[in-house]
Amino acid sequence: MSGEASAPPVASPRTPRPGIQKSSGSVAKKGDRGAKEKPATVLPPVGEEEPKNPEEYQCTGFLEVDFAELCTRWGYTDFPKVVSRPRPHPTFVPSASTSEKPTIDDQRLSGSCSLNSLESKYVFFRPTIQVEVESEDKSVKEIYIRGWKVEERILGIFSKCLPSLSQLQAINLWKVGLTDKTLTTFIALLPLCSSTLRKVSLEGNPLPEQSYHKLMAVDSTIAHLSLRNNNIDDHGAQLLGQALSTLHSCNRNLVSLNLAFNHIGDEGAGYIADGLRLNRSLLWLSLAHNRIQDKGALKLAEVLRPFELTHTEVVERRRLLLEKGSQERSRSPSNSRHGDSKPEREKNQLMGVSSFAVVDKTDKTQAMKTPKGLGKKKEKLGEVVKKEEKSGTGQSPTQGTPKKEDSTKASKGKVTIPEQKPGKGKGTKSGSKEKRSILLESELVGEATEMVNPLLEPVEHRDGKVFMPGNKVLLHLNLLRNRITEVGLEAFLTAVQYQVQFSKSKSASKGPVGLLWLSLAKNYFSPQCPAYAMIQELMLPRDPISKAKHREEEAMASS
């Protein structure tokens, strides 16, 4: 106490205002300027004046360095390390020298069981940020975080260091204790990341408010979204279905959606089916391991074949047709007055299909005059956006001009690639071909869906009702291990039969139309059921994987 009492007189002439004992310490350490001691010792050399504010740090693009530096500046003393994702061991292939292998394995096993290696074994369970890097320039391609709680502050650090990763393609968060609040923070940082980020996986993160649909907003650029094992129920499915499409909005970038291992029942499946009515971008959907019964199966099957438009959809369709017709007339040159006045008279007299036919006429004449706009108008009048991607551009009424467009925009090159890519799942950008396929897919989804509203597809009139041709964009549907009986099975058989018949009638098309892969195994019906056998028989020739295997077998047999 006497030492503390004697300290103020020494410091008081120099610092008369603050008479606190902390001021004497600050005088004794002039050079420190109140800096924190721990960051000063842990900080790696950055090549600048060591600013203490995290806002002042300029990220280098090396996640390991940036994350450690920012964690230190934010006051973390113990934080997860950035490590390379462990590769699975290659499967053991028996060879001529199998006699030597057991001895080497035994030595390795005995070495790994020593006491010295126990500590290294437990390192596996420490929180880490696993990354996959490009083999060429070592840039981070994918991020995996598993089994430790990601808090708001950690997300704040990610918002600083992730934007500098120019090749980032995927973020995978598995059981990281997300909340509705931290999910909102996570969604806010996604637009800051590179435009190459297309895949997000949030598995094992159940949320009370089930706000996953915010990841599928209209302006979202996510192409592949996995929400497995999140306890999503019918309410969550309703929000997701509305995010897929409503009468006035539609997600145009999402290509694959994984909702397996959730609690979605008939009502939720109905909401998902409603979202598929006017969605023309989703190619891959998994509802495996849910609680869907026949009622939900009937709803999903109904969307895959011609379905009746509701009254509000019919009204919206007529409004769009009139709006489209007036736009086309305002764009068309007034060279022939008779050409302008006749469609106008017809429009005043008739509505519905006749008005669509009038629009068709004006479009054709306009297409002859303005080749540049042909692609847009042709897509508006074509059947489905994705159908045109698959069928190629050669089926336009005016066949001379599209070739010119193909040579300038290389639209033929865009046609066939994306069908194969989403079927395989998540594409990577490691090779030049894969890079090209992802870029082309984004162009297709971005351009084509921007131009066409599904309500403008050609329709059928039966008994005073309007029928749309159904969703033929969805290529992959997984309903494994639900509760569907033979009643739901019959509905899917009818849908598959229609799609097979439709694709045969469009034999000139260059790409597939409708489902290529449908899984209904492990449901509440016998595998020997005739309807199930018929579905498998119809789907087998359409499955691209079985086709590839068949070709390989034929090649092996011929060789």
Side-chain angles (χ1 to χ4, degrees), residues 234-253:
D234 291 340
H235 171 63
Q238 179 181 10
L239 298 173
L240 293 170
Q242 290 169 353
L244 282 175
S245 79
T246 62
L247 197 60
H248 302 289
S249 67
C250 180
N251 182 293
R252 293 170 176 173
N253 291 315

mmCIF file of all heavy atoms in Angstrom, residues 234-253:
data_model
loop_
_atom_site.group_PDB
_atom_site.id
_atom_site.type_symbol
_atom_site.label_atom_id
_atom_site.label_comp_id
_atom_site.label_asym_id
_atom_site.label_seq_id
_atom_site.Cartn_x
_atom_site.Cartn_y
_atom_site.Cartn_z
ATOM 1 N N ASP A 234 -44.341 -28.623 -42.571
ATOM 2 C CA ASP A 234 -45.206 -28.113 -43.633
ATOM 3 C C ASP A 234 -45.170 -26.586 -43.724
ATOM 4 O O ASP A 234 -45.282 -26.030 -44.818
ATOM 5 C CB ASP A 234 -46.652 -28.582 -43.414
ATOM 6 C CG ASP A 234 -46.803 -30.085 -43.640
ATOM 7 O OD1 ASP A 234 -45.927 -30.661 -44.314
ATOM 8 O OD2 ASP A 234 -47.774 -30.673 -43.131
ATOM 9 N N HIS A 235 -45.006 -25.918 -42.578
ATOM 10 C CA HIS A 235 -44.925 -24.453 -42.609
ATOM 11 C C HIS A 235 -43.659 -24.006 -43.336
ATOM 12 O O HIS A 235 -43.689 -23.103 -44.187
ATOM 13 C CB HIS A 235 -44.940 -23.895 -41.186
ATOM 14 C CG HIS A 235 -44.648 -22.421 -41.114
ATOM 15 N ND1 HIS A 235 -45.472 -21.472 -41.692
ATOM 16 C CD2 HIS A 235 -43.606 -21.736 -40.548
ATOM 17 C CE1 HIS A 235 -44.965 -20.266 -41.483
ATOM 18 N NE2 HIS A 235 -43.835 -20.398 -40.804
ATOM 19 N N GLY A 236 -42.525 -24.657 -43.011
ATOM 20 C CA GLY A 236 -41.276 -24.328 -43.713
ATOM 21 C C GLY A 236 -41.376 -24.632 -45.198
ATOM 22 O O GLY A 236 -40.858 -23.874 -46.037
ATOM 23 N N ALA A 237 -42.056 -25.757 -45.540
ATOM 24 C CA ALA A 237 -42.230 -26.105 -46.951
ATOM 25 C C ALA A 237 -43.091 -25.069 -47.669
ATOM 26 O O ALA A 237 -42.883 -24.784 -48.852
ATOM 27 C CB ALA A 237 -42.858 -27.493 -47.064
ATOM 28 N N GLN A 238 -44.063 -24.496 -46.960
ATOM 29 C CA GLN A 238 -44.900 -23.454 -47.568
ATOM 30 C C GLN A 238 -44.051 -22.239 -47.947
ATOM 31 O O GLN A 238 -44.178 -21.696 -49.050
ATOM 32 C CB GLN A 238 -45.998 -23.035 -46.593
ATOM 33 C CG GLN A 238 -46.907 -21.938 -47.134
ATOM 34 C CD GLN A 238 -47.979 -21.515 -46.139
ATOM 35 O OE1 GLN A 238 -47.938 -21.911 -44.970
ATOM 36 N NE2 GLN A 238 -48.934 -20.729 -46.586
ATOM 37 N N LEU A 239 -43.164 -21.833 -47.041
ATOM 38 C CA LEU A 239 -42.297 -20.684 -47.321
ATOM 39 C C LEU A 239 -41.353 -20.982 -48.482
ATOM 40 O O LEU A 239 -41.105 -20.121 -49.336
ATOM 41 C CB LEU A 239 -41.499 -20.316 -46.070
ATOM 42 C CG LEU A 239 -42.325 -19.892 -44.841
ATOM 43 C CD1 LEU A 239 -41.429 -19.721 -43.623
ATOM 44 C CD2 LEU A 239 -43.086 -18.600 -45.123
ATOM 45 N N LEU A 240 -40.841 -22.225 -48.534
ATOM 46 C CA LEU A 240 -39.939 -22.604 -49.625
ATOM 47 C C LEU A 240 -40.682 -22.669 -50.953
ATOM 48 O O LEU A 240 -40.150 -22.257 -51.999
ATOM 49 C CB LEU A 240 -39.286 -23.959 -49.321
ATOM 50 C CG LEU A 240 -38.313 -23.978 -48.139
ATOM 51 C CD1 LEU A 240 -37.937 -25.398 -47.782
ATOM 52 C CD2 LEU A 240 -37.058 -23.175 -48.474
ATOM 53 N N GLY A 241 -41.917 -23.200 -50.935
ATOM 54 C CA GLY A 241 -42.707 -23.270 -52.160
ATOM 55 C C GLY A 241 -43.012 -21.889 -52.712
ATOM 56 O O GLY A 241 -42.935 -21.656 -53.925
ATOM 57 N N GLN A 242 -43.330 -20.943 -51.818
ATOM 58 C CA GLN A 242 -43.589 -19.573 -52.257
ATOM 59 C C GLN A 242 -42.321 -18.924 -52.795
ATOM 60 O O GLN A 242 -42.390 -18.066 -53.686
ATOM 61 C CB GLN A 242 -44.152 -18.754 -51.102
ATOM 62 C CG GLN A 242 -45.574 -19.153 -50.714
ATOM 63 C CD GLN A 242 -46.019 -18.520 -49.410
ATOM 64 O OE1 GLN A 242 -45.237 -17.883 -48.707
ATOM 65 N NE2 GLN A 242 -47.291 -18.700 -49.066
ATOM 66 N N ALA A 243 -41.157 -19.316 -52.268
ATOM 67 C CA ALA A 243 -39.900 -18.771 -52.786
ATOM 68 C C ALA A 243 -39.591 -19.327 -54.177
ATOM 69 O O ALA A 243 -38.970 -18.638 -54.994
ATOM 70 C CB ALA A 243 -38.752 -19.097 -51.826
ATOM 71 N N LEU A 244 -40.029 -20.571 -54.459
ATOM 72 C CA LEU A 244 -39.821 -21.131 -55.802
ATOM 73 C C LEU A 244 -40.593 -20.321 -56.834
ATOM 74 O O LEU A 244 -40.044 -19.947 -57.874
ATOM 75 C CB LEU A 244 -40.261 -22.599 -55.839
ATOM 76 C CG LEU A 244 -39.310 -23.623 -55.227
ATOM 77 C CD1 LEU A 244 -39.937 -25.005 -55.220
ATOM 78 C CD2 LEU A 244 -37.986 -23.658 -55.998
ATOM 79 N N SER A 245 -41.881 -20.088 -56.587
ATOM 80 C CA SER A 245 -42.649 -19.233 -57.491
ATOM 81 C C SER A 245 -43.999 -18.886 -56.879
ATOM 82 O O SER A 245 -44.581 -19.679 -56.136
ATOM 83 C CB SER A 245 -42.862 -19.909 -58.852
ATOM 84 O OG SER A 245 -43.906 -20.854 -58.783
ATOM 85 N N THR A 246 -44.460 -17.690 -57.206
ATOM 86 C CA THR A 246 -45.838 -17.282 -56.953
ATOM 87 C C THR A 246 -46.352 -16.697 -58.269
ATOM 88 O O THR A 246 -45.661 -16.755 -59.292
ATOM 89 C CB THR A 246 -45.929 -16.225 -55.836
ATOM 90 O OG1 THR A 246 -45.217 -15.048 -56.260
ATOM 91 C CG2 THR A 246 -45.342 -16.732 -54.532
ATOM 92 N N LEU A 247 -47.531 -16.127 -58.227
ATOM 93 C CA LEU A 247 -48.103 -15.566 -59.448
ATOM 94 C C LEU A 247 -47.288 -14.385 -59.964
ATOM 95 O O LEU A 247 -47.236 -14.148 -61.175
ATOM 96 C CB LEU A 247 -49.552 -15.124 -59.170
ATOM 97 C CG LEU A 247 -50.443 -14.894 -60.390
ATOM 98 C CD1 LEU A 247 -50.565 -16.174 -61.207
ATOM 99 C CD2 LEU A 247 -51.811 -14.399 -59.963
ATOM 100 N N HIS A 248 -46.621 -13.661 -59.065
ATOM 101 C CA HIS A 248 -45.925 -12.436 -59.475
ATOM 102 C C HIS A 248 -44.412 -12.482 -59.254
ATOM 103 O O HIS A 248 -43.729 -11.516 -59.571
ATOM 104 C CB HIS A 248 -46.500 -11.231 -58.713
ATOM 105 C CG HIS A 248 -47.964 -11.043 -58.931
ATOM 106 N ND1 HIS A 248 -48.487 -10.601 -60.118
ATOM 107 C CD2 HIS A 248 -49.030 -11.268 -58.111
ATOM 108 C CE1 HIS A 248 -49.804 -10.541 -60.030
ATOM 109 N NE2 HIS A 248 -50.168 -10.938 -58.829
ATOM 110 N N SER A 249 -43.884 -13.563 -58.702
ATOM 111 C CA SER A 249 -42.438 -13.631 -58.496
ATOM 112 C C SER A 249 -41.970 -15.068 -58.686
ATOM 113 O O SER A 249 -42.755 -16.017 -58.550
ATOM 114 C CB SER A 249 -42.054 -13.156 -57.086
ATOM 115 O OG SER A 249 -42.553 -14.053 -56.113
ATOM 116 N N CYS A 250 -40.685 -15.214 -59.006
ATOM 117 C CA CYS A 250 -40.160 -16.559 -59.272
ATOM 118 C C CYS A 250 -38.649 -16.554 -59.069
ATOM 119 O O CYS A 250 -37.968 -15.601 -59.450
ATOM 120 C CB CYS A 250 -40.500 -16.967 -60.707
ATOM 121 S SG CYS A 250 -39.901 -18.593 -61.157
ATOM 122 N N ASN A 251 -38.132 -17.616 -58.446
ATOM 123 C CA ASN A 251 -36.681 -17.766 -58.325
ATOM 124 C C ASN A 251 -36.141 -18.265 -59.660
ATOM 125 O O ASN A 251 -36.597 -19.283 -60.180
ATOM 126 C CB ASN A 251 -36.345 -18.760 -57.214
ATOM 127 C CG ASN A 251 -34.850 -18.909 -57.024
ATOM 128 O OD1 ASN A 251 -34.151 -19.420 -57.885
ATOM 129 N ND2 ASN A 251 -34.343 -18.473 -55.891
ATOM 130 N N ARG A 252 -35.152 -17.563 -60.213
ATOM 131 C CA ARG A 252 -34.668 -17.890 -61.557
ATOM 132 C C ARG A 252 -33.245 -18.406 -61.573
ATOM 133 O O ARG A 252 -32.681 -18.611 -62.652
ATOM 134 C CB ARG A 252 -34.775 -16.652 -62.439
ATOM 135 C CG ARG A 252 -36.225 -16.268 -62.677
ATOM 136 C CD ARG A 252 -36.345 -14.932 -63.339
ATOM 137 N NE ARG A 252 -37.749 -14.638 -63.630
ATOM 138 C CZ ARG A 252 -38.175 -13.477 -64.086
ATOM 139 N NH1 ARG A 252 -37.336 -12.505 -64.282
ATOM 140 N NH2 ARG A 252 -39.455 -13.287 -64.331
ATOM 141 N N ASN A 253 -32.639 -18.615 -60.411
ATOM 142 C CA ASN A 253 -31.252 -19.064 -60.379
ATOM 143 C C ASN A 253 -31.066 -20.438 -59.741
ATOM 144 O O ASN A 253 -30.071 -21.110 -60.013
ATOM 145 C CB ASN A 253 -30.385 -18.049 -59.610
ATOM 146 C CG ASN A 253 -30.248 -16.739 -60.359
ATOM 147 O OD1 ASN A 253 -30.015 -16.724 -61.560
ATOM 148 N ND2 ASN A 253 -30.420 -15.632 -59.664
#
